[in-house]
Amino acid sequence: MSRHIGSHYAIFCAMILSASCGRSHGDCNVSDSVLARVGNSVLTAEELSSAMPFGLSHEDSVKFVRGYVRTWIDNKLVGEVAINNIPDSKSIDRMVDDYRTELIMWEYRKIMLDQHAPSFLCEDSLKAYYEKYSGDWVNETPLLKGIFVRVPEADAHIDDIRKWYKSNKTSDLESLEKYTLSETVEYDYFREQWIEWTALKSKIPFPDNFSPDDYWKNHKVYETSQDGQLYMLSVSEYLPVKSAKPYEVAIGDIKDRLSNERRLQYDRQLKDELFNKGIKSGDVELNVILD
């Protein structure tokens, strides 16, 4: 018996003894490690041990054992009753077969996608698809580029920080980046990539009635303070809700759509190949016109 199973064996004994309600017991001995039996089905200590989560306390382990054993017995009993009383068990068999087929098809699609991804997900193909369906890529939340800084209001270099985070000069941005290495300063530079408005909204205490679309029409910076902290945001580019998504933002949606289209294509391809092969070999007999 492994160390893991052995440790649970003592718990099984505790569970059995605690459930005995006054009956006397000698040494705990679960015959052949069988904890429960329903008809010809048995639940062994080894099976239960493999299902038991690690790190449970003794009390929680006993609860887990009791619950698991009772659930196992209930499932077996209900399962036997169901098998004997379902009038059309063949429908269950058909559903199992259909589900198995779906799993096989899914694995086939995955293999085919892995083999062909470089050809249909290359940069030129993705950009061409983006241009062809440009009207489909619309952002559901505002997008923006810029710089965000949070510093204590009492920081001695507030004036310098205000100058740096609004600037486009490389030297100013380098000074800001060096200064924000301090543990008391939070600094995000995202002038080279689009981020969603919701990501910033969670960091900055905007008023409840703040409208980003209205505000960024006429402003490039926003400052506010709360609890001794100063929040500063400069926005270099802004796209309101329902704007066309930039290619670099839409790329994930494009890949998902192309992958789904290819999955359907591979499904059809596999079915057609197997159908034609079955007709040719005689495995498929068809007595109706399909086309």
Side-chain angles (χ1 to χ4, degrees), residues 6-282:
S7 66
H8 288 315
Y9 196 79
I11 295 173
F12 301 152
C13 292
M15 181 272 291
I16 293 170
L17 291 172
S18 62
S20 61
C21 300
R23 287 175 293 179
S24 62
H25 289 267
D27 293 336
C28 179
N29 178 25
V30 182
S31 177
D32 296 327
S33 297
V34 172
L35 300 181
R37 180 183 62 81
V38 175
N40 294 324
S41 299
V42 296
L43 173 65
T44 66
E46 289 78 9
E47 291 177 67
L48 194 150
S49 178
S50 65
M52 180 177 287
F54 287 95
L56 296 181
S57 66
H58 179 83
E59 180 180 355
D60 289 339
S61 296
V62 172
K63 290 179 181 178
F64 177 86
V65 169
R66 287 174 170 162
Y68 190 95
V69 172
R70 177 55 192 264
T71 299
W72 182 88
I73 292 173
D74 290 344
N75 288 343
K76 291 297 180 182
L77 291 173
V78 173
E80 288 189 0
V81 171
I83 289 174
N84 294 326
N85 289 276
I86 290 179
D88 184 17
S89 61
K90 291 183 179 179
S91 63
I92 303 295
D93 295 335
R94 286 195 297 271
M95 286 189 285
V96 171
D97 288 340
D98 289 344
Y99 182 64
R100 180 176 182 276
T101 300
E102 285 298 320
L103 291 177
I104 293 173
M105 294 287 289
W106 178 263
E107 187 62 25
Y108 172 78
R109 288 194 300 254
K110 183 177 181 298
I111 293 172
M112 295 294 287
L113 285 171
D114 290 343
Q115 291 177 351
H116 296 82
S119 62
F120 80 91
L121 292 181
C122 66
E123 192 72 10
D124 290 342
S125 297
L126 293 172
K127 286 184 176 180
Y129 196 88
Y130 171 79
E131 295 294 338
K132 183 177 181 180
Y133 299 101
S134 58
D136 293 351
W137 321 116
V138 178
N139 58 304
E140 298 300 325
T141 185
L143 301 173
L144 64 164
K145 294 181 178 182
I147 292 176
F148 164 68
V149 184
R150 178 186 58 78
V151 296
E153 285 186 282
D155 193 291
H157 294 84
I158 286 293
D159 290 339
D160 289 329
I161 296 172
R162 279 197 171 101
K163 171 192 171 185
W164 295 334
Y165 93 96
K166 299 175 185 178
S167 176
N168 291 320
K169 294 181 180 179
T170 301
S171 58
D172 287 340
L173 296 177
E174 288 177 349
S175 297
L176 177 61
E177 186 169 357
K178 290 178 182 178
Y179 186 76
T180 54
L181 293 176
S182 166
E183 294 181 359
T184 62
V185 179
E186 182 179 0
Y187 169 65
D188 285 331
Y189 177 89
F190 49 96
R191 283 186 178 176
E192 307 300 327
Q193 67 182 66
W194 293 100
I195 69 168
E196 294 186 350
W197 168 253
T198 51
L200 279 175
K201 186 178 179 182
S202 63
K203 291 186 174 184
I204 303 174
F206 292 101
D208 293 339
N209 62 347
F210 185 85
S211 170
D213 285 352
D214 291 339
Y215 185 84
W216 298 115
K217 286 179 182 178
N218 304 308
H219 303 83
K220 290 294 183 181
V221 297
Y222 179 84
E223 292 188 13
T224 189
S225 60
Q226 186 179 77
D227 299 329
Q229 297 291 311
L230 181 62
Y231 301 81
M232 297 179 284
L233 172 65
S234 69
V235 173
S236 54
E237 294 183 67
Y238 181 81
L239 291 175
V241 175
K242 302 301 180 183
S243 299
K245 281 186 180 180
Y247 170 75
E248 59 268 31
V249 176
I251 188 68
D253 297 334
I254 297 171
K255 288 182 178 180
D256 287 344
R257 183 187 291 186
L258 283 173
S259 295
N260 287 332
E261 289 178 358
R262 284 304 172 106
R263 288 189 185 99
L264 294 175
Q265 177 184 332
Y266 295 145
D267 280 353
R268 186 71 268 161
Q269 178 183 332
L270 175 62
K271 292 173 182 176
D272 288 344
E273 288 177 356
L274 295 178
F275 178 83
N276 294 331
K277 184 178 179 180
I279 292 292
K280 186 176 180 179
S281 66

